[in-house]
Amino acid sequence: MEQLAQLGAGIAIGFGAVGAGLGIGFATKGLMDAVSRQPEVAGKAFGFFLLGAALSEACALYAFVIAFLLLNK
Amino acid sequence: MEHWLYNISFAGHTLTFNLDTIFTMWFAMIVLLIFAIAATRKLSLVPGKLQAFCESIMHFFWNVMGSMNTAKQHVPLIASLFLFILFANLMGQLPLRIIHIKSGELASPTNDVNLTAAMAIIVLIYYVTAGIMKKGFKFFLHDFSFTGIVMALVELLEMVTRPLSLAIRLFANIFAGEILVTIALGACAYFAPLPIMLFEILVAFIQATVFMMLTIAYVSSATGEEH
């Protein structure tokens, strides 16, 4: 049972990181597109980018919490 | 990371207090209170250095509220949440951990899910109350039709998921940051944790901003025309 919980923790954080990585990647792509088209919006767009990156990063952290709960059962 | 637990039996139930969280929370609150009292003690028309600094902070909140189309009467909640969360997150990088306590360690109080859940529930109560005061019963059900009832049920579900995600987001960011710093300290105690600690300072600002922005969005969607 212990080994299964460890396996589950690994799977949880792995798949969670895939989603958050995709999300932050798309956010960075959007920032790059916006800045290369209109360099003058760089400062404003970076603020929104940080907000979106933090929101999508939170999804990986939900997985992290689940993994931590599985390990510390 | 265990906390310093303290049990009190009260009328047949056992209340458990996380003493380290309470200490650090009161530390953050006392520092903010002293700062606020010192800033507003001698107000003058020509502001001094401290008063000018605080006025620029308040202008920041007014600008944010104005850009999100929310009434300025909600500034006290937003401002106190932002300042408290920011200070609490930054406290995790102070060398408070040198002080030894019985178990656990003195770090930022937001690495305890109880504190973040309490703040999220305060936000829930605030925006539901603000919505009811603005719209009355129409806050729950705007029109009596099939779509109206389905939307009302979805909004009832949102009242659970919104505070849950607010609480877990803030808690998990700070908690993961502290674990990262601890792992880097274990790898090499001298220079390895430095970039991670710098990143954690950035995360402290971003998470305080995210909590504030989501609170503003919830309040403005509860009090706005369409919701």
Side-chain angles (χ1 to χ4, degrees):
Chain A
M1 229 29 221
E2 183 75 13
Q3 287 88 348
L4 278 180
Q6 287 178 354
L7 185 66
I11 290 173
I13 193 69
F15 278 105
V18 167
L22 277 176
I24 297 177
F26 282 130
T28 317
K29 174 181 169 292
L31 176 73
M32 287 297 139
D33 279 353
V35 170
S36 55
R37 278 183 200 181
Q38 268 181 303
E40 62 268 27
V41 299
K44 207 174 173 188
F46 191 67
F48 286 119
F49 161 73
L50 279 184
L51 208 65
L55 285 178
S56 63
E57 189 196 54
C59 298
L61 290 163
Y62 298 151
F64 168 76
V65 170
I66 298 294
F68 209 78
L69 286 178
L70 279 174
L71 283 183
N72 282 9
K73 243 193 337 182
Chain B
M1 301 211 174
E2 306 93 44
H3 291 284
W4 179 9
L5 300 178
Y6 185 75
N7 292 316
I8 290 179
S9 21
F10 171 76
H13 300 280
T14 311
L15 298 176
T16 306
F17 291 92
N18 294 5
L19 283 184
D20 51 348
T21 309
I22 292 175
F23 286 151
T24 45
M25 182 185 80
W26 274 99
F27 181 69
M29 276 159 54
I30 285 169
V31 169
L32 277 181
L33 279 176
I34 290 173
F35 177 68
I37 290 170
T40 54
R41 204 161 49 96
K42 277 184 286 182
L43 291 176
S44 61
L45 207 58
V46 182
K49 267 183 193 161
L50 186 63
Q51 193 186 336
F53 177 61
C54 294
E55 279 179 4
S56 68
I57 294 177
M58 287 316 287
H59 273 292
F60 163 69
F61 289 120
W62 283 343
N63 286 338
V64 169
M65 300 295 277
S67 70
M68 306 270 291
N69 298 323
T70 315
K72 282 195 180 137
Q73 57 171 335
H74 304 300
V75 161
L77 176 85
I78 307 297
S80 42
L81 272 178
F82 178 81
L83 290 176
F84 176 71
I85 294 172
L86 178 63
F87 193 77
N89 290 351
L90 287 176
M91 256 175 71
Q93 307 306 323
L94 290 179
L96 279 175
R97 300 177 193 197
I98 299 169
I99 303 168
H100 281 285
I101 54 176
K102 246 187 214 166
S103 68
E105 56 185 9
L106 293 178
S108 62
T110 37
N111 75 350
D112 189 345
V113 75
N114 299 308
L115 182 86
T116 57
M119 286 194 296
I121 289 170
I122 289 170
V123 170
L124 171 74
I125 293 171
Y126 186 87
Y127 85 76
V128 170
T129 314
I132 290 175
M133 279 168 71
K134 184 84 185 266
K135 293 185 192 162
F137 186 70
K138 280 185 118 181
F139 172 68
F140 293 108
L141 188 66
H142 356 200
D143 57 334
F144 199 77
S145 64
F146 179 69
T147 16
I149 290 171
V150 170
M151 285 312 290
L153 290 177
V154 169
E155 275 158 19
L156 221 57
L157 187 66
E158 272 185 347
M159 284 183 196
V160 179
T161 56
R162 278 173 171 179
L164 188 73
S165 67
L166 266 185
I168 303 277
R169 179 178 300 118
L170 180 57
F171 157 70
N173 268 285
I174 304 306
F175 187 60
E178 290 193 348
I179 287 183
L180 261 179
V181 171
T182 313
I183 290 171
L185 271 172
C188 171
Y190 287 98
F191 294 107
L194 204 59
I196 298 174
M197 287 166 101
L198 285 176
F199 178 67
E200 285 311 309
I201 290 174
L202 182 69
V203 165
F205 279 92
I206 291 175
Q207 287 308 315
T209 315
V210 166
F211 202 100
M212 178 185 74
M213 285 292 185
L214 288 175
T215 308
I216 295 173
Y218 297 161
V219 170
S220 73
S221 78
T223 57
E225 284 303 309
E226 292 169 271
H227 99 152

